[in-house]
Amino acid sequence: MTGTQFEAWPLTTEQREIVKLCRDFAEKEIRPRGREVDEADVVTPVDIFAKAAQVGITDFMIAEEFGGGGMTDVFTQCLVQEELCWGDPGIGNLVCSNGFFSDPLMALGTPEQKEKWLRPLTGTAPLMTALATTEPGSGSDAASIITTATRVDGGYRINGQKAWISNAGAADQYVVFAKTDRNERSKGVTAFMLTKDTPGLTWGEPMKKMGQRAIVCRELFFDDVFVPEENRLGDEGQGFYGLMETFDISRIVLGAAAVGAARAAYEYALDYARTRKQFGKPIIEHQAVAFRLADMATRIEASRLLVHHAARSIDAGVNTTGLAAMAKLTASETAMFVTHAAVQTLGGWGYSREYPVEQWMRDVKLEEIEEGTSDIMRLVISRNL
């Protein structure tokens, strides 16, 4: 159990192939670099992103008509994300970060916009991207953003500030959410496409983080940034709809990322418990340790099944807002429980940076916060009961 993905649903030949590809890539390219990237703190490992592109991992989720791998279903994305984040949560999420950018584009964009903005993300030398929603005073309440987009001749002028934007500065393309009607909440939010070299767009210094340091976050600043009308995604006021549709997908995929990280910590603790001896026998033979490992294994399996159920449901066209929140909540809190339990199993060595479990515990804390905190997930679930 938990050593490889349990197949509650049969996999296609293509899915088996990409799972194996990602498993090998995680083992050979990601896992060996995890500690180095963590220690570097604020350096994006663009070389790993480039290697992943060479083997087709960075664009597998983009439709074939735009040059991608054509595996657009959320279930396949979950299979991939688990394997990559088993290697390292931060690097795994970085490698697939263009998928988060492409979701609102697929939800709101015209065929011409999709061709223009998705095509550069495919092939062996793809651009990096970022999605800009969060602001210094607006996190969980995305409808309360105050960055404005004022209509002018030929387009809009954007003014404001974003915070905690993944890949900011490193990214070449941005999807930005701003208010076109300040008197409205969600109905006033509109999405826009920008490039890195747009005049008036600047970014701050890298933000120091607890974990997942492979994804460098910065603030973004918009000083009278002009965006032509053809770079608006959807109609005015449709941005929040596109964002919520994106969240339904991303929360499920992040649930898979949390499962992968939990699996890594569980496997490491299990191997340690089999070899570490105390009181004359391997510590796995002590009931306290054995029961802890049993709880870790059980929660991982349950979380994976819930994530896969949510993925299959959204792929079938079912409204999965509540189920997506359940999947993310359960998987993220499982990952926190499992990594904490792994540190406890290793004892003093678990607290040491010589071993990876303390890093993984820091890394997975983000999964309980990003794309909606655990508190917000419970609110979403309760509203969908």
Side-chain angles (χ1 to χ4, degrees):
M1 294 186 299
T2 72
T4 57
Q5 296 193 27
F6 170 67
E7 294 181 15
W9 293 272
L11 302 187
T12 66
T13 300
E14 291 78 12
Q15 287 170 333
R16 290 180 185 277
E17 288 174 350
I18 196 166
V19 166
K20 184 180 185 307
L21 172 67
C22 292
R23 186 174 297 158
D24 291 343
F25 189 85
E27 182 177 8
K28 296 173 183 176
E29 302 290 346
I30 294 179
R31 178 68 66 85
R33 296 285 300 282
R35 177 60 71 183
E36 172 198 332
V37 171
D38 180 67
E39 295 284 356
D41 197 4
V42 291
V43 179
T44 303
V46 292
D47 61 314
I48 301 179
F49 184 86
K51 286 182 179 179
Q54 291 288 329
V55 295
I57 295 176
T58 58
D59 67 359
F60 78 92
M61 76 296 286
I62 296 175
E64 284 185 287
E65 62 186 296
F66 306 117
M71 298 182 184
T72 57
D73 63 289
V74 178
F75 180 63
T76 300
Q77 293 181 48
C78 289
L79 298 177
V80 167
Q81 205 77 22
E82 178 179 336
E83 294 303 328
L84 296 177
C85 291
W86 170 88
D88 180 89
I91 299 174
N93 284 328
L94 171 71
V95 165
C96 290
S97 59
N98 281 352
F100 295 101
F101 170 90
S102 65
D103 287 337
L105 190 57
M106 291 302 297
L108 298 173
T110 64
E112 294 76 19
Q113 287 175 323
K114 293 173 185 176
E115 173 65 31
K116 176 181 177 180
W117 297 95
L118 291 178
R119 181 74 60 177
L121 312 186
T122 64
T124 57
L127 301 181
M128 294 185 70
T129 61
L131 187 150
T133 304
T134 303
E135 298 182 359
S138 174
S140 297
D141 184 8
S144 69
I145 61 174
I146 60 174
T147 294
T148 59
T150 305
R151 183 178 280 279
V152 296
D153 186 31
Y156 299 81
R157 292 282 180 184
I158 298 181
N159 287 280
Q161 177 182 353
K162 298 292 182 180
W164 291 106
I165 305 306
S166 301
N167 293 341
D172 297 282
Q173 297 184 166
Y174 297 78
V175 55
V176 177
F177 294 84
K179 280 283 181 73
T180 46
D181 186 343
R182 284 176 286 183
N183 295 319
E184 294 281 357
R185 279 179 50 82
S186 60
K187 293 180 180 179
V189 178
T190 304
F192 300 90
M193 308 301 300
L194 282 76
T195 58
K196 182 178 184 178
D197 58 359
T198 302
L201 173 62
T202 56
W203 46 88
E205 292 297 312
M207 304 176 83
K208 301 280 189 175
K209 299 189 303 178
M210 175 189 289
Q212 295 211 25
R213 296 170 178 172
I215 300 179
V216 177
C217 295
R218 301 172 189 257
E219 293 176 296
L220 285 179
F221 303 98
F222 304 87
D223 184 11
D224 219 25
V225 174
F226 176 73
V227 182
E229 183 143 7
E230 60 265 27
N231 283 14
R232 187 189 69 214
L233 281 182
D235 295 329
E236 287 190 8
Q238 279 194 314
F240 193 80
Y241 156 77
L243 184 61
M244 292 302 103
E245 188 171 318
T246 295
F247 279 168
D248 284 348
I249 296 172
S250 63
R251 286 169 178 167
I252 297 170
V253 175
L254 287 174
V259 170
R263 197 182 99 209
Y266 161 76
E267 290 174 2
Y268 202 94
L270 179 61
D271 288 343
Y272 183 88
R274 286 168 171 163
T275 57
R276 172 70 166 173
K277 291 185 177 181
Q278 290 288 279
F279 304 101
K281 59 183 178 180
I283 61 173
I284 197 172
E285 295 181 21
H286 296 286
Q287 190 179 75
V289 175
F291 279 17
R292 184 188 304 132
L293 290 164
D295 287 340
M296 294 160 75
T298 300
R299 291 185 62 169
I300 291 170
E301 295 292 352
S303 296
R304 181 188 289 117
L305 287 170
L306 181 53
V307 167
H308 286 186
H309 174 49
R312 287 294 199 186
S313 297
I314 199 170
D315 287 337
V318 177
N319 183 333
T320 57
T321 298
L323 191 56
M326 290 180 186
K328 180 184 179 296
L329 174 68
T330 302
S332 63
E333 294 195 345
T334 290
M336 199 67 229
F337 167 81
V338 170
T339 53
H340 176 273
V343 170
Q344 199 69 19
T345 301
L346 269 67
W349 293 116
Y351 198 65
S352 167
R353 285 158 71 176
E354 282 188 50
Y355 292 79
V357 290
E358 63 83 26
Q359 179 198 327
W360 294 335
M361 185 173 74
R362 289 186 285 109
D363 285 341
V364 302
K365 183 59 189 174
L366 180 60
E367 307 300 351
E368 293 185 311
I369 299 172
E370 66 176 339
E371 304 284 345
T373 64
S374 291
D375 295 333
I376 293 297
M377 292 304 95
R378 288 182 168 88
L379 180 63
V380 171
I381 294 164
S382 65
R383 286 178 174 175
N384 281 271
L385 295 178

